[in-house]
Structure formats: structure tokens, C-alpha cells
Amino acid sequence: MHLRRKLTLILSCYVLFATVSAYKPLVIMHGILTGRKSMVSMAEHIQEAHPETEITIINKYAAWESLAPMWHQVVDVGREIMKISAAHPDGINLIGYSQGGLIARAILQQFPNHNVKTFISLSSPQAGQYGTQFLHLFFPNLVRETAYELFYSSLGQHTSVGNYWNDPYHKELYYNYSKFLPYINNELESPYSSQYKYGLTKLDNLVLIGGPDDGVITPWESSHFGYYGENGSVIDLRKQPAYVNDTLGLQTLDLKGKLLLIKIHGVSHLQWHKNATVIDKFLLPFLD
Ligand SMILES: *[C@@H]1O[C@H](CO)[C@@H](O)[C@H](O)[C@H]1NC(C)=O
Ligand SMILES: *[C@@H]1O[C@H](CO)[C@@H](O)[C@H](O)[C@H]1NC(C)=O
Ligand SMILES: *[C@@H]1O[C@H](CO)[C@@H](O)[C@H](O)[C@H]1NC(C)=O
Ligand SMILES: *[C@@H]1O[C@H](CO)[C@@H](O)[C@H](O)[C@H]1NC(C)=O
């Protein structure tokens, strides 16, 4: 073979190989009352399967600091993710676990110039939370029926949980007091509503993972944007007003085949990021 042709062939093979093997950088946001460390084993597992993936685990708002107001965390962590985004013009992927998945999703909407391609929400209260199990560590006597008295107050809104507490029996108080969830979910219109929709619909893939054995996210369907209706039964995402009217762009994503709802049995809340099967079968295939 002619030397030049040979060289061209080698070079094009190299380019092909480089394209195939280069995984997008990945950013991971941890859950409530934990921190960076809790996500290290998942990151290592991903790196083993997808060598040379550049992985950043957000090292902020660990332990008690994870209770800081949602907007505060969204803006601060969002700036960090935007720096990573800017350094990788071909795009990045993002995973958020538990509360971290709600923070991460809000970042996509608050910073619509992001270049996140695939976002995976790993058992996150995307439509809110109405269960207190995980709060008993610091509010031992809190019951969900009266928790609204604490959370729907100026003081309660200074906690992350208060910001996404969604009591289906006190909707008016929720709309009056909650500073975060009704806005980021476009339940209440704001000057940012169209920006919020744009930031979400520009994704290539929105992957929502959750399951009925979670035990903490209540209702578990909140991980799929489903939620309690007024009579206490759960209304699935596709029957939710926000979906029907496409106020947040979820229907747009769905119709383009970019919204993936994944329901997995047998995984409790603290196992999602540790379960090797979940990582292999439901995270890795989306991390290109
Ligand atoms: C919510 O706010 C409106 C307007 O300020 C007020 O009229 C209404 O009583 C409030 N509702 C509750 C349940 O506090
Ligand atoms: C509760 O409301 C939903 C829709 O809003 C309805 O489909 C369901 O039948 C209701 N359930 C009861 C027990 O009233
Ligand atoms: C959709 O929006 C219209 C106009 O704002 C409203 O009248 C209607 O009730 C909404 N549909 C649902 C299912 O919420
Ligand atoms: C791990 O995930 C699989 C489903 O992918 C589930 O069947 C199994 O029970 C899980 N194991 C644990 C310990 O969470």
C-alpha cells in the first residue's frame, strides 16, 4: 500500500476509535444528609466500565449543609456545573441522586445555556415529597399530616425539604409559601417559566428512575413526576395538568422519545447508587 494511503487509513481509524471510546464528562450530585464520599463507589464502578470518563462529584452541601435552601444550592452548584459545561463544548452528562436529582434538574432550568446531554434522576422527589421517614433523625416527632405547619412558614422555607414539601391537602398554603417547587415545576407562572421549559427540553435524554420499594420518596411516583391528587390517590405523570398542558416541556420530550420513565422493583432508597445491577442496566447504557 502506498505510504500516504496507509497513513490516512491509520489516521481515520484513530479518529474513529477516539470518537467511539471518548465518553462525555460526567457530573454527579449527592443526596440529602450525605456528601461526595457517598457517591465515590458508584463513580468508580462507572469509570471501570467506561474507562477515562472524567467524573466530577460535587463536593458541596454535605451532611447538615444539604439542608440549605434549594435556590441557594441550585445557584451555587449550578455555577460550578456551568464551568465544567463550558470547558467541554461537546457536552456533558449529569446524574443526581435523591434531593441531588431535584437540585440538578433545577440547575438545567436555572442555567438554560448548559450543554448537558443526558440527565439521570435517580429516585428524586421531582414532584415533591409528602413523607417524613428520613426526617426523623432531626425532627423525631414530625408527622406528615402537620409538617406543613413547620414547612409552610418563612422559617420552614429556609430548609431544602420545606422548599419541596408538597402537602396535597394544603395546596393553597403550598402555593402561598413555597418559594421553590411550584416555580421550578411551572405550576405557578413566573417571568422565568419559558426559560425553565427551554432548559429542560433541550436535553437529549431525560431519564427518570424510581420504584415502589423506595420507602423514602413519597409517593414513589414523584420520581417520575407523578403525584397525589386532591383525594389522595396518585395521578401519573401523563395525566398531570403540567404534562397535559406541556407547561414544563415534559410532553415535548416524551413525544420526541427523549423522556424515559424507568420503574425498578426491589430497591430501597439508600441502595439506588450502590446497587450494581441498577448501575449496569440503567445508568451505563445512557452514559455515552
Ligand atoms: C393565600 O394567599 C392569599 C392571597 O394573599 C390569601 O387570600 C389566602 O387566604 C392565603 N391562603 C392561605 C390558606 O393562607
Ligand atoms: C380520585 O381522583 C382521581 C382523579 O382525580 C379519580 O380518578 C379517582 O377515581 C378518585 N378516587 C376516589 C377514591 O375518589
Ligand atoms: C391547561 O391550561 C388551561 C389554560 O390555562 C386551563 O384552563 C386548563 O385547566 C389546563 N388543563 C389542565 C389539565 O390543567
Ligand atoms: C438491586 O437492583 C435489583 C433490580 O435491578 C433488585 O432486584 C435488587 O433487589 C436490588 N438489590 C438491592 C440490595 O437493592
Side-chain angles (χ1 to χ4, degrees):
M1 204 188 287
H2 197 278
L3 188 63
R4 237 176 88 183
R5 270 195 62 194
K6 208 167 173 177
L7 193 65
T8 314
L9 190 69
I10 289 169
L11 277 176
S12 54
C13 279
Y14 173 76
V15 168
L16 190 69
F17 178 74
T19 321
V20 167
S21 70
Y23 295 102
K24 287 194 185 64
L26 171 66
V27 179
I28 299 173
M29 181 65 199
H30 64 79
I32 195 169
L33 296 176
T34 58
R36 182 185 182 283
K37 264 194 208 152
S38 66
M39 306 308 282
V40 167
S41 68
M42 184 179 95
E44 283 172 357
H45 188 133
I46 292 170
Q47 217 150 30
E48 230 165 76
H50 289 176
E52 286 165 46
T53 305
E54 191 183 318
I55 302 183
T56 308
I57 311 175
I58 300 297
N59 193 17
K60 279 180 167 164
Y61 302 101
W64 294 96
E65 287 180 25
S66 66
L67 292 169
M70 289 297 277
W71 280 125
H72 189 87
Q73 299 193 52
V74 166
V75 169
D76 189 18
V77 174
R79 286 195 184 119
E80 187 171 334
I81 292 181
M82 287 306 283
K83 275 186 208 152
I84 300 170
S85 192
H88 298 94
D90 291 340
I92 63 173
N93 294 325
L94 177 64
I95 298 178
Y97 164 57
S98 192
Q99 175 181 284
L102 182 52
I103 291 172
R105 197 254 301 173
I107 287 169
L108 301 175
Q109 301 173 214
Q110 184 66 19
F111 296 86
N113 293 328
H114 70 77
N115 62 3
V116 174
K117 301 297 177 193
T118 291
F119 166 55
I120 304 177
S121 161
L122 196 52
S123 199
S124 302
Q126 298 292 357
Q129 169 75 4
Y130 186 54
T132 49
Q133 297 89 326
F134 72 115
L135 297 172
H136 286 160
L137 198 63
F138 42 100
F139 296 124
N141 300 316
L142 196 70
V143 290
R144 69 178 186 172
E145 286 73 19
T146 51
Y148 74 90
E149 293 170 0
L150 170 67
F151 291 137
Y152 297 155
S153 66
S154 317
L155 187 68
Q157 287 301 307
H158 280 98
T159 65
S160 62
V161 185
N163 293 151
Y164 55 84
W165 187 254
N166 187 352
D167 184 329
Y169 303 107
H170 294 92
K171 277 289 184 195
E172 202 178 312
L173 277 177
Y174 164 70
Y175 291 130
N176 278 8
Y177 276 99
S178 185
K179 293 184 161 128
F180 176 74
L181 196 67
Y183 294 97
I184 205 70
N185 282 1
N186 277 355
E187 289 175 75
L188 294 177
E189 215 178 317
S190 77
Y192 302 101
S193 293
S194 58
Q195 168 192 313
Y196 289 161
K197 184 173 178 176
Y198 171 71
L200 204 60
T201 46
K202 71 186 282 200
L203 286 171
D204 287 348
N205 293 298
L206 172 58
V207 184
L208 303 173
I209 300 178
D213 303 311
D214 181 273
V216 168
I217 302 300
T218 314
W220 75 264
E221 289 91 340
S222 181
S223 59
H224 288 177
F225 279 97
Y227 211 71
Y228 296 117
E230 281 174 4
N231 63 13
S233 64
V234 172
I235 302 173
D236 286 337
L237 162 69
R238 292 188 178 94
K239 291 190 177 130
Q240 290 284 339
Y243 180 93
V244 174
N245 272 351
D246 203 27
T247 42
L248 195 55
L250 293 169
Q251 191 193 111
T252 299
L253 286 166
D254 200 14
L255 295 179
K256 289 182 179 162
K258 296 177 174 180
L259 175 68
L260 293 111
L261 303 182
I262 298 177
K263 174 180 174 181
I264 307 172
H265 291 267
V267 186
S268 66
H269 192 66
L270 298 178
Q271 289 297 319
W272 289 104
H273 55 306
K274 296 179 187 157
N275 187 312
T277 320
V278 171
I279 299 173
D280 288 337
K281 279 175 69 180
F282 304 105
L283 301 188
L284 288 175
F286 297 108
L287 300 173
D288 57 344

